[in-house]
Coordinates of all heavy atoms in Angstrom, one line a residue:
M1 N 33.1 -171.5 43.3 CA 32.4 -170.3 42.9 C 32.7 -169.1 43.8 O 32.7 -169.3 45.0 CB 30.8 -170.6 42.9 CG 29.9 -169.5 42.6 SD 30.2 -168.8 41.0 CE 28.8 -169.6 40.1
T2 N 33.1 -168.0 43.3 CA 33.5 -166.9 44.1 C 32.4 -166.3 44.9 O 32.6 -165.6 45.9 CB 34.2 -165.8 43.2 OG1 33.3 -165.4 42.2 CG2 35.5 -166.3 42.6
G3 N 31.1 -166.5 44.5 CA 30.0 -165.9 45.2 C 29.9 -166.5 46.6 O 29.3 -166.0 47.5
D4 N 30.6 -167.7 46.7 CA 30.5 -168.4 48.0 C 31.7 -168.0 48.9 O 31.7 -168.4 50.1 CB 30.6 -169.9 47.8 CG 29.4 -170.4 47.0 OD1 28.3 -169.8 47.0 OD2 29.6 -171.5 46.4
L5 N 32.6 -167.3 48.4 CA 33.8 -166.9 49.2 C 33.3 -165.9 50.3 O 32.6 -164.9 49.9 CB 34.9 -166.3 48.4 CG 35.5 -167.3 47.4 CD1 36.5 -166.6 46.5 CD2 36.3 -168.4 48.2
P6 N 33.7 -166.0 51.5 CA 33.3 -165.1 52.6 C 33.9 -163.7 52.4 O 35.1 -163.6 51.9 CB 33.8 -165.8 53.9 CG 34.9 -166.6 53.5 CD 34.6 -167.1 52.1
I7 N 33.3 -162.7 52.9 CA 33.8 -161.4 53.0 C 34.3 -161.2 54.4 O 33.6 -161.4 55.4 CB 32.7 -160.3 52.6 CG1 32.3 -160.5 51.2 CG2 33.3 -158.9 52.9 CD1 31.1 -159.6 50.8
E8 N 35.6 -160.8 54.5 CA 36.2 -160.6 55.8 C 36.3 -159.1 56.0 O 36.3 -158.3 55.1 CB 37.7 -161.2 55.8 CG 37.6 -162.7 55.5 CD 39.1 -163.3 55.5 OE1 40.0 -162.7 56.2 OE2 39.3 -164.3 54.7
L9 N 36.4 -158.7 57.3 CA 36.6 -157.3 57.6 C 37.8 -157.2 58.5 O 37.9 -157.9 59.5 CB 35.3 -156.8 58.4 CG 35.4 -155.4 59.0 CD1 35.7 -154.3 57.9 CD2 34.2 -155.1 59.8
E10 N 38.7 -156.3 58.1 CA 39.9 -156.0 58.9 C 39.8 -154.5 59.4 O 39.5 -153.7 58.6 CB 41.2 -156.2 58.1 CG 41.4 -157.6 57.7 CD 42.7 -157.7 56.8 OE1 43.3 -156.7 56.4 OE2 43.1 -158.9 56.6
L11 N 40.0 -154.3 60.7 CA 40.0 -153.0 61.2 C 41.3 -152.6 61.8 O 41.9 -153.4 62.5 CB 38.9 -152.9 62.3 CG 37.5 -153.1 61.9 CD1 36.6 -153.2 63.1 CD2 37.0 -152.0 60.9
T12 N 41.8 -151.4 61.5 CA 43.0 -150.9 62.1 C 42.8 -149.4 62.4 O 42.8 -148.5 61.5 CB 44.2 -151.0 61.1 OG1 44.3 -152.3 60.7 CG2 45.5 -150.5 61.7
G13 N 42.4 -149.1 63.7 CA 42.1 -147.7 64.1 C 40.9 -147.2 63.3 O 39.8 -147.8 63.4
T14 N 41.1 -146.1 62.6 CA 39.9 -145.5 61.8 C 39.8 -146.1 60.4 O 39.0 -145.7 59.7 CB 40.1 -144.0 61.8 OG1 41.3 -143.7 61.1 CG2 40.0 -143.4 63.1
K15 N 40.7 -147.0 60.0 CA 40.7 -147.6 58.7 C 40.1 -149.0 58.7 O 40.2 -149.7 59.7 CB 42.2 -147.7 58.1 CG 42.9 -146.4 58.1 CD 42.4 -145.6 57.0 CE 43.3 -144.3 56.8 NZ 42.9 -143.5 55.8
G16 N 39.4 -149.3 57.6 CA 38.8 -150.6 57.6 C 39.0 -151.1 56.2 O 39.2 -150.4 55.2
R17 N 38.9 -152.4 56.0 CA 39.1 -153.1 54.8 C 38.2 -154.4 54.7 O 38.3 -155.2 55.5 CB 40.5 -153.4 54.5 CG 40.8 -154.2 53.3 CD 42.3 -154.3 53.1 NE 42.9 -155.6 53.6 CZ 43.6 -156.5 52.8 NH1 43.8 -156.2 51.6 NH2 44.0 -157.5 53.5
Y18 N 37.3 -154.4 53.7 CA 36.5 -155.6 53.5 C 37.3 -156.3 52.3 O 37.8 -155.7 51.4 CB 35.1 -155.3 52.9 CG 34.2 -154.7 53.9 CD1 34.0 -153.3 54.0 CD2 33.5 -155.5 54.8 CE1 33.2 -152.8 55.0 CE2 32.6 -155.0 55.7 CZ 32.5 -153.6 55.9 OH 31.7 -153.1 56.8
L19 N 37.4 -157.6 52.5 CA 38.2 -158.4 51.5 C 37.6 -159.8 51.3 O 37.0 -160.3 52.1 CB 39.6 -158.4 51.8 CG 40.1 -159.3 53.0 CD1 41.5 -159.9 52.7 CD2 40.1 -158.5 54.2
V20 N 37.9 -160.2 50.0 CA 37.6 -161.6 49.7 C 38.9 -162.2 49.2 O 39.5 -161.6 48.3 CB 36.5 -161.6 48.5 CG1 36.3 -163.1 48.0 CG2 35.2 -161.1 49.0
K21 N 39.2 -163.3 49.8 CA 40.4 -164.1 49.4 C 40.1 -165.2 48.5 O 39.2 -166.1 48.9 CB 41.2 -164.5 50.6 CG 41.7 -163.4 51.5 CD 42.4 -163.9 52.7 CE 42.8 -162.8 53.6 NZ 43.4 -163.3 54.9
G22 N 40.7 -165.3 47.3 CA 40.5 -166.4 46.4 C 41.4 -167.6 46.8 O 42.4 -167.4 47.6
P23 N 41.0 -168.8 46.4 CA 41.9 -170.0 46.7 C 43.3 -169.9 46.1 O 44.2 -170.5 46.6 CB 41.1 -171.1 46.0 CG 40.2 -170.5 45.1 CD 39.9 -169.1 45.6
D24 N 43.5 -169.0 45.1 CA 44.8 -168.8 44.5 C 45.6 -167.7 45.2 O 46.7 -167.4 44.7 CB 44.7 -168.5 43.0 CG 43.9 -167.3 42.7 OD1 43.4 -166.7 43.7 OD2 43.8 -166.9 41.6
G25 N 45.1 -167.2 46.2 CA 45.8 -166.1 47.0 C 45.4 -164.7 46.5 O 45.8 -163.7 47.1
A26 N 44.6 -164.6 45.4 CA 44.2 -163.2 45.0 C 43.2 -162.6 46.0 O 42.5 -163.4 46.7 CB 43.4 -163.4 43.6
E27 N 43.3 -161.3 46.2 CA 42.5 -160.6 47.1 C 41.7 -159.4 46.4 O 42.4 -158.7 45.7 CB 43.3 -160.1 48.3 CG 43.8 -161.0 49.2 CD 44.5 -160.4 50.4 OE1 44.7 -159.2 50.5 OE2 44.9 -161.2 51.3
A28 N 40.4 -159.4 46.6 CA 39.6 -158.2 46.2 C 39.4 -157.4 47.5 O 39.2 -158.0 48.6 CB 38.3 -158.7 45.6
E29 N 39.5 -156.1 47.4 CA 39.3 -155.3 48.6 C 38.5 -154.0 48.4 O 38.5 -153.5 47.2 CB 40.6 -155.0 49.2 CG 41.5 -154.0 48.4 CD 42.7 -153.5 49.1 OE1 43.0 -154.0 50.3 OE2 43.4 -152.6 48.6
M30 N 37.9 -153.5 49.4 CA 37.3 -152.2 49.4 C 37.7 -151.6 50.8 O 37.5 -152.2 51.8 CB 35.8 -152.3 49.4 CG 35.1 -151.0 49.2 SD 33.5 -150.9 49.9 CE 33.8 -151.0 51.6
T31 N 38.4 -150.4 50.7 CA 38.9 -149.8 51.9 C 38.0 -148.6 52.2 O 37.4 -147.9 51.4 CB 40.3 -149.4 51.7 OG1 40.5 -148.5 50.7 CG2 41.2 -150.6 51.4
Y32 N 38.0 -148.3 53.5 CA 37.3 -147.1 54.0 C 37.9 -146.5 55.2 O 38.8 -147.1 55.8 CB 35.8 -147.5 54.3 CG 35.7 -148.3 55.5 CD1 35.5 -147.8 56.8 CD2 35.6 -149.7 55.4 CE1 35.3 -148.6 57.9 CE2 35.5 -150.5 56.5 CZ 35.3 -149.9 57.7 OH 35.2 -150.8 58.8
T33 N 37.6 -145.2 55.5 CA 38.0 -144.5 56.7 C 36.7 -144.1 57.5 O 35.8 -143.7 56.9 CB 38.8 -143.2 56.3 OG1 39.9 -143.7 55.5 CG2 39.2 -142.5 57.5
S34 N 36.8 -144.4 58.8 CA 35.7 -143.9 59.7 C 35.9 -142.5 60.0 O 37.0 -142.1 60.4 CB 35.7 -144.8 61.0 OG 35.3 -146.1 60.7
I35 N 34.8 -141.7 60.0 CA 34.8 -140.3 60.3 C 33.9 -140.2 61.5 O 32.7 -140.3 61.4 CB 34.4 -139.4 59.2 CG1 35.2 -139.6 57.9 CG2 34.4 -137.9 59.6 CD1 36.7 -139.3 58.1
G36 N 34.5 -140.0 62.7 CA 33.7 -140.0 63.9 C 32.9 -141.3 64.1 O 33.4 -142.4 63.6
E37 N 31.8 -141.2 64.8 CA 31.0 -142.4 65.1 C 29.9 -142.6 64.1 O 29.2 -143.7 64.1 CB 30.4 -142.3 66.5 CG 31.4 -142.2 67.6 CD 32.1 -143.6 67.7 OE1 31.5 -144.6 67.6 OE2 33.4 -143.5 67.9
S38 N 29.7 -141.7 63.1 CA 28.5 -141.8 62.3 C 28.7 -141.8 60.8 O 27.7 -141.9 60.1 CB 27.6 -140.6 62.6 OG 28.2 -139.4 62.2
Q39 N 30.0 -141.9 60.3 CA 30.2 -141.9 58.9 C 31.4 -142.7 58.5 O 32.4 -142.7 59.2 CB 30.3 -140.4 58.4 CG 30.5 -140.3 56.9 CD 30.7 -138.8 56.5 OE1 30.3 -137.9 57.2 NE2 31.2 -138.6 55.3
I40 N 31.3 -143.3 57.3 CA 32.5 -143.9 56.7 C 32.7 -143.3 55.3 O 31.7 -142.9 54.7 CB 32.5 -145.4 56.7 CG1 31.4 -146.0 55.7 CG2 32.4 -146.0 58.1 CD1 31.5 -147.5 55.5
I41 N 33.9 -143.2 54.9 CA 34.2 -142.8 53.5 C 34.9 -144.0 52.8 O 35.9 -144.5 53.2 CB 35.2 -141.6 53.5 CG1 34.5 -140.4 54.2 CG2 35.6 -141.3 52.0 CD1 35.5 -139.2 54.4
I42 N 34.2 -144.5 51.7 CA 34.7 -145.5 50.9 C 35.7 -144.9 49.9 O 35.3 -144.0 49.2 CB 33.7 -146.3 50.1 CG1 32.7 -147.1 51.1 CG2 34.3 -147.3 49.2 CD1 31.5 -147.8 50.5
D43 N 37.0 -145.2 50.0 CA 38.0 -144.6 49.3 C 38.6 -145.4 48.1 O 39.3 -144.9 47.3 CB 39.1 -144.0 50.1 CG 39.7 -144.9 51.1 OD1 39.7 -146.1 50.8 OD2 40.0 -144.5 52.2
H44 N 38.4 -146.7 48.2 CA 39.1 -147.5 47.2 C 38.5 -148.9 47.0 O 38.1 -149.5 48.1 CB 40.6 -147.7 47.6 CG 41.4 -148.6 46.8 ND1 41.8 -148.3 45.5 CD2 41.8 -149.8 47.0 CE1 42.5 -149.3 45.0 NE2 42.5 -150.3 45.9
T45 N 38.3 -149.3 45.8 CA 37.9 -150.7 45.6 C 38.8 -151.3 44.5 O 39.1 -150.6 43.5 CB 36.5 -150.8 45.0 OG1 35.6 -150.1 46.0 CG2 36.0 -152.2 44.9
M46 N 39.3 -152.5 44.8 CA 40.2 -153.1 43.8 C 39.8 -154.6 43.7 O 39.7 -155.3 44.7 CB 41.7 -153.0 44.3 CG 42.8 -153.4 43.3 SD 43.0 -155.2 43.1 CE 43.5 -155.7 44.7
V47 N 39.6 -155.0 42.4 CA 39.2 -156.4 42.1 C 40.2 -156.9 41.1 O 40.3 -156.4 40.0 CB 37.8 -156.5 41.6 CG1 37.4 -157.9 41.2 CG2 36.8 -155.9 42.6
P48 N 41.0 -157.9 41.5 CA 42.0 -158.4 40.5 C 41.4 -159.1 39.4 O 40.2 -159.6 39.5 CB 42.9 -159.4 41.4 CG 42.0 -159.8 42.5 CD 41.1 -158.6 42.8
D49 N 42.1 -159.3 38.3 CA 41.6 -160.0 37.1 C 40.9 -161.3 37.4 O 39.9 -161.7 36.8 CB 42.7 -160.2 36.1 CG 43.1 -158.8 35.5 OD1 42.3 -157.9 35.5 OD2 44.2 -158.8 34.9
A50 N 41.5 -162.1 38.4 CA 40.9 -163.4 38.7 C 39.5 -163.3 39.2 O 38.7 -164.3 39.0 CB 41.8 -164.0 39.8
F51 N 39.0 -162.2 39.7 CA 37.7 -162.0 40.2 C 36.8 -161.2 39.3 O 35.6 -161.0 39.5 CB 37.7 -161.3 41.5 CG 38.2 -162.1 42.7 CD1 38.9 -161.6 43.7 CD2 38.0 -163.5 42.7 CE1 39.4 -162.3 44.7 CE2 38.4 -164.3 43.8 CZ 39.1 -163.7 44.8
R52 N 37.3 -160.6 38.2 CA 36.5 -159.7 37.4 C 35.3 -160.3 36.8 O 35.3 -161.5 36.4 CB 37.4 -159.1 36.2 CG 38.5 -158.2 36.8 CD 38.5 -156.9 36.1 NE 39.8 -156.2 36.5 CZ 39.8 -155.2 37.4 NH1 38.7 -154.8 37.9 NH2 40.9 -154.6 37.7
G53 N 34.2 -159.5 36.7 CA 33.0 -160.0 36.1 C 32.2 -160.9 37.0 O 31.2 -161.6 36.5
Q54 N 32.5 -161.1 38.2 CA 31.9 -162.1 39.1 C 31.1 -161.4 40.2 O 30.5 -162.1 41.1 CB 32.9 -163.0 39.7 CG 33.6 -163.8 38.6 CD 34.7 -164.7 39.1 OE1 34.5 -165.3 40.1 NE2 35.9 -164.7 38.5
G55 N 31.0 -160.1 40.2 CA 30.2 -159.4 41.2 C 30.8 -159.2 42.5 O 30.2 -158.8 43.5
I56 N 32.1 -159.5 42.6 CA 32.8 -159.4 43.9 C 32.9 -157.9 44.4 O 32.6 -157.7 45.6 CB 34.3 -160.0 43.8 CG1 34.2 -161.4 43.5 CG2 35.0 -159.7 45.1 CD1 33.6 -162.3 44.5
G57 N 33.2 -157.0 43.5 CA 33.2 -155.6 43.9 C 31.9 -155.1 44.4 O 31.8 -154.5 45.5
A58 N 30.8 -155.5 43.8 CA 29.4 -155.1 44.2 C 29.1 -155.8 45.6 O 28.5 -155.1 46.4 CB 28.4 -155.6 43.1
R59 N 29.6 -157.0 45.8 CA 29.3 -157.7 47.1 C 30.0 -156.9 48.2 O 29.5 -156.8 49.3 CB 29.8 -159.1 47.1 CG 28.9 -160.1 46.3 CD 29.4 -161.5 46.4 NE 29.6 -161.9 47.8 CZ 30.5 -162.7 48.2 NH1 31.4 -163.3 47.4 NH2 30.6 -163.1 49.5
L60 N 31.3 -156.4 47.9 CA 32.0 -155.7 48.9 C 31.3 -154.4 49.3 O 31.1 -154.1 50.5 CB 33.4 -155.4 48.4 CG 34.3 -156.6 48.2 CD1 35.6 -156.1 47.5 CD2 34.7 -157.2 49.6
V61 N 30.8 -153.7 48.4 CA 30.0 -152.4 48.7 C 28.8 -152.7 49.4 O 28.4 -152.0 50.4 CB 29.8 -151.6 47.4 CG1 29.0 -150.3 47.7 CG2 31.1 -151.2 46.7
A62 N 28.0 -153.8 48.9 CA 26.8 -154.1 49.5 C 27.0 -154.5 51.0 O 26.2 -154.2 51.9 CB 26.1 -155.3 48.8
R63 N 28.1 -155.2 51.3 CA 28.4 -155.5 52.7 C 28.6 -154.3 53.5 O 28.2 -154.2 54.7 CB 29.6 -156.5 52.8 CG 30.2 -156.7 54.1 CD 29.3 -157.5 55.1 NE 29.9 -157.6 56.4 CZ 30.8 -158.5 56.8 NH1 31.2 -159.4 55.9 NH2 31.3 -158.4 58.0
A64 N 29.3 -153.3 53.0 CA 29.5 -152.0 53.7 C 28.2 -151.3 54.0 O 28.0 -150.8 55.0 CB 30.5 -151.1 52.9
V65 N 27.4 -151.4 53.0 CA 26.0 -150.8 53.2 C 25.3 -151.5 54.3 O 24.7 -150.8 55.2 CB 25.2 -150.8 51.9 CG1 23.7 -150.5 52.1 CG2 25.8 -149.9 50.8
E66 N 25.3 -152.8 54.3 CA 24.6 -153.5 55.4 C 25.1 -153.2 56.7 O 24.4 -153.0 57.7 CB 24.8 -155.1 55.1 CG 24.0 -155.6 53.9 CD 24.4 -157.0 53.6 OE1 25.0 -157.7 54.5 OE2 24.1 -157.5 52.5
D67 N 26.5 -153.2 56.8 CA 27.1 -152.9 58.1 C 26.8 -151.4 58.6 O 26.6 -151.2 59.7 CB 28.6 -153.2 58.1 CG 28.9 -154.7 58.0 OD1 28.0 -155.5 58.0 OD2 30.1 -155.0 57.8
A68 N 26.9 -150.5 57.6 CA 26.6 -149.1 58.0 C 25.2 -149.0 58.4 O 24.9 -148.3 59.4 CB 26.9 -148.2 56.7
R69 N 24.3 -149.6 57.7 CA 22.8 -149.5 58.1 C 22.6 -150.0 59.5 O 22.0 -149.4 60.3 CB 22.0 -150.3 57.1 CG 20.5 -150.1 57.2 CD 19.8 -150.8 56.1 NE 19.8 -150.0 54.9 CZ 20.0 -150.5 53.7 NH1 20.1 -151.8 53.5 NH2 19.9 -149.7 52.6
A70 N 23.2 -151.2 59.8 CA 23.1 -151.8 61.1 C 23.7 -150.9 62.2 O 23.1 -151.0 63.3 CB 23.7 -153.2 61.1
A71 N 24.7 -150.2 61.9 CA 25.4 -149.3 62.9 C 24.8 -147.9 62.9 O 25.3 -147.1 63.7 CB 26.9 -149.3 62.6
G72 N 23.9 -147.6 62.1 CA 23.3 -146.2 62.0 C 24.3 -145.2 61.4 O 24.3 -144.1 61.8
K73 N 25.1 -145.7 60.5 CA 26.2 -144.8 59.9 C 25.8 -144.4 58.5 O 25.0 -145.1 57.9 CB 27.5 -145.5 59.9 CG 28.1 -145.7 61.3 CD 29.5 -146.4 61.1 CE 30.0 -146.6 62.6 NZ 31.4 -147.0 62.5
T74 N 26.4 -143.3 58.0 CA 26.2 -143.0 56.6 C 27.5 -143.2 55.8 O 28.6 -143.3 56.4 CB 25.8 -141.5 56.4 OG1 26.8 -140.7 57.0 CG2 24.4 -141.2 57.0
I75 N 27.4 -143.3 54.5 CA 28.5 -143.6 53.7 C 28.7 -142.5 52.7 O 27.8 -142.1 52.0 CB 28.4 -144.9 52.9 CG1 28.3 -146.1 53.9 CG2 29.5 -145.1 51.9 CD1 28.0 -147.4 53.3
L76 N 30.0 -142.0 52.5 CA 30.4 -141.1 51.5 C 31.2 -141.9 50.5 O 32.3 -142.2 50.8 CB 31.1 -139.9 52.0 CG 31.6 -138.9 51.0 CD1 30.5 -138.3 50.2 CD2 32.4 -137.8 51.7
P77 N 30.7 -142.2 49.3 CA 31.4 -143.1 48.4 C 32.3 -142.3 47.5 O 31.9 -141.8 46.4 CB 30.3 -143.8 47.6 CG 29.2 -142.8 47.6 CD 29.3 -142.1 48.9
L78 N 33.6 -142.0 47.9 CA 34.5 -141.2 47.1 C 35.1 -142.1 46.0 O 35.5 -141.6 44.9 CB 35.6 -140.6 47.9 CG 35.2 -139.5 48.9 CD1 36.4 -139.0 49.6 CD2 34.4 -138.4 48.2
C79 N 35.2 -143.4 46.2 CA 35.7 -144.3 45.2 C 34.7 -144.3 44.0 O 33.5 -144.5 44.2 CB 35.8 -145.7 45.8 SG 35.9 -147.0 44.6
P80 N 35.1 -144.2 42.8 CA 34.2 -144.1 41.6 C 33.4 -145.4 41.5 O 32.2 -145.3 41.1 CB 35.2 -143.9 40.4 CG 36.4 -143.3 41.0 CD 36.5 -143.8 42.4
F81 N 34.0 -146.5 41.7 CA 33.2 -147.8 41.7 C 32.1 -147.9 42.7 O 30.9 -148.2 42.3 CB 34.1 -149.0 41.9 CG 33.3 -150.3 41.8 CD1 33.0 -150.9 40.6 CD2 32.9 -150.9 43.0 CE1 32.2 -152.1 40.6 CE2 32.2 -152.1 43.0 CZ 31.9 -152.7 41.8
A82 N 32.4 -147.5 43.9 CA 31.4 -147.5 45.0 C 30.3 -146.4 44.7 O 29.1 -146.7 44.8 CB 32.0 -147.2 46.3
A83 N 30.6 -145.3 44.2 CA 29.7 -144.2 43.8 C 28.7 -144.7 42.7 O 27.5 -144.5 42.7 CB 30.4 -143.0 43.3
A84 N 29.3 -145.5 41.7 CA 28.5 -146.1 40.6 C 27.5 -147.1 41.2 O 26.3 -147.2 40.8 CB 29.3 -146.7 39.6
Q85 N 27.9 -147.9 42.2 CA 27.0 -148.8 42.8 C 25.9 -148.2 43.5 O 24.8 -148.6 43.5 CB 27.8 -149.7 43.8 CG 28.8 -150.7 43.2 CD 28.1 -151.6 42.2 OE1 27.1 -152.3 42.6 NE2 28.5 -151.7 41.0
F86 N 26.2 -147.0 44.2 CA 25.1 -146.3 44.9 C 24.1 -145.8 43.8 O 22.9 -145.7 44.1 CB 25.7 -145.2 45.7 CG 26.0 -145.6 47.1 CD1 27.2 -146.1 47.4 CD2 25.0 -145.4 48.1 CE1 27.4 -146.5 48.8 CE2 25.2 -145.8 49.4 CZ 26.4 -146.4 49.8
Q87 N 24.6 -145.4 42.7 CA 23.6 -144.9 41.6 C 22.8 -146.0 41.1 O 21.6 -145.8 40.7 CB 24.4 -144.3 40.5 CG 25.0 -142.9 40.8 CD 25.8 -142.3 39.6 OE1 26.1 -143.0 38.7 NE2 26.0 -141.0 39.7
R88 N 23.3 -147.2 41.1 CA 22.5 -148.5 40.6 C 21.6 -149.0 41.7 O 20.7 -149.8 41.3 CB 23.5 -149.6 40.3 CG 24.3 -149.3 39.0 CD 25.1 -150.5 38.6 NE 26.0 -150.2 37.5 CZ 27.3 -150.1 37.5 NH1 27.9 -150.3 38.7 NH2 28.0 -149.8 36.5
H89 N 21.8 -148.5 42.9 CA 21.0 -149.0 44.0 C 20.3 -147.9 44.8 O 20.7 -147.6 45.9 CB 21.8 -149.9 45.0 CG 22.3 -151.1 44.3 ND1 21.6 -152.3 44.2 CD2 23.6 -151.4 43.7 CE1 22.3 -153.3 43.6 NE2 23.5 -152.7 43.3
P90 N 19.2 -147.4 44.3 CA 18.5 -146.3 45.0 C 18.0 -146.8 46.4 O 17.8 -145.9 47.3 CB 17.4 -145.9 44.1 CG 17.2 -147.1 43.1 CD 18.5 -147.7 43.0
E91 N 17.9 -148.1 46.6 CA 17.4 -148.5 47.9 C 18.5 -148.3 49.0 O 18.2 -148.5 50.2 CB 17.0 -150.0 47.8 CG 18.1 -151.0 47.6 CD 18.5 -151.2 46.1 OE1 18.2 -150.4 45.3 OE2 19.2 -152.2 45.8
W92 N 19.7 -147.9 48.6 CA 20.7 -147.6 49.6 C 20.7 -146.2 50.0 O 21.6 -145.7 50.7 CB 22.1 -147.9 49.0 CG 22.3 -149.4 48.7 CD1 21.6 -150.5 49.1 CD2 23.4 -149.9 48.0 NE1 22.1 -151.7 48.7 CE2 23.2 -151.4 48.0 CE3 24.5 -149.4 47.4 CZ2 24.2 -152.2 47.4 CZ3 25.5 -150.3 46.8 CH2 25.3 -151.7 46.8
A93 N 19.8 -145.4 49.5 CA 19.7 -143.9 49.7 C 19.8 -143.6 51.3 O 20.3 -142.6 51.7 CB 18.5 -143.3 49.1
D94 N 19.2 -144.5 52.1 CA 19.1 -144.2 53.5 C 20.5 -144.1 54.2 O 20.7 -143.5 55.2 CB 18.3 -145.3 54.3 CG 18.8 -146.7 54.2 OD1 19.1 -147.1 53.0 OD2 18.9 -147.3 55.2
V95 N 21.5 -144.7 53.6 CA 22.9 -144.6 54.1 C 23.8 -143.7 53.4 O 24.9 -143.5 53.8 CB 23.6 -146.1 54.3 CG1 22.7 -146.9 55.2 CG2 23.7 -146.7 53.0
L96 N 23.3 -143.2 52.3 CA 24.2 -142.3 51.4 C 24.3 -140.9 52.1 O 23.3 -140.3 52.4 CB 23.6 -142.2 50.1 CG 24.3 -141.3 49.1 CD1 25.7 -141.8 48.8 CD2 23.5 -141.2 47.7
K97 N 25.5 -140.4 52.3 CA 25.8 -139.1 52.8 C 25.6 -138.1 51.7 O 26.2 -138.2 50.7 CB 27.2 -139.0 53.4 CG 27.7 -137.7 53.9 CD 27.0 -137.4 55.1 CE 27.5 -136.1 55.7 NZ 26.8 -135.7 56.9
H98 N 24.7 -137.1 51.9 CA 24.4 -136.1 50.9 C 25.2 -134.9 51.1 O 25.6 -134.5 52.2 CB 22.9 -135.8 50.9 CG 22.1 -137.0 50.4 ND1 22.0 -137.4 49.1 CD2 21.4 -137.9 51.2 CE1 21.2 -138.5 49.0 NE2 20.8 -138.8 50.3

């Protein structure tokens, strides 16, 4: 079950990437850029066909929200998928950059 697959975080300087790796080698990812110490910009979400319809993309965005909240950061969702997730989850308003 893909809901059990862990979400990993890779950091490279100001760039970050949350990813889920499937047993077949497929990777779903959400990338972001850190802006200073207080904001991240989600710029891309990609979910391969092997993961479609399983909520993996939503899990990736939710993890970014959890991490941003814990770090006192805000999120600017430039990625259309992430922006749509923020519209579906008004409870994330505390981390949404206006």
Side-chain angles (χ1 to χ4, degrees):
M1 178 61 100
T2 57
D4 297 336
L5 295 173
I7 296 175
E8 300 176 31
L9 174 60
E10 294 179 350
L11 297 170
T12 308
T14 60
K15 303 285 187 182
R17 176 170 94 124
Y18 290 97
L19 70 148
V20 173
K21 295 179 182 176
D24 61 354
E27 289 185 355
E29 70 173 3
M30 187 207 72
T31 61
Y32 69 90
T33 301
S34 291
I35 305 298
E37 296 294 318
S38 63
Q39 182 179 343
I40 68 169
I41 296 173
I42 297 176
D43 50 30
H44 174 72
T45 304
M46 191 281 300
V47 177
D49 289 341
F51 288 146
R52 294 233 189 256
Q54 300 175 44
I56 297 294
R59 283 184 56 214
L60 293 169
V61 178
R63 169 68 186 276
V65 168
E66 292 170 14
D67 289 355
R69 189 176 281 141
K73 295 182 178 186
T74 59
I75 297 175
L76 178 59
L78 293 183
C79 162
F81 177 81
Q85 290 299 307
F86 270 87
Q87 288 180 342
R88 290 186 185 113
H89 293 277
E91 68 274 19
W92 296 349
D94 61 312
V95 297
L96 180 61
K97 176 71 174 176
H98 296 283

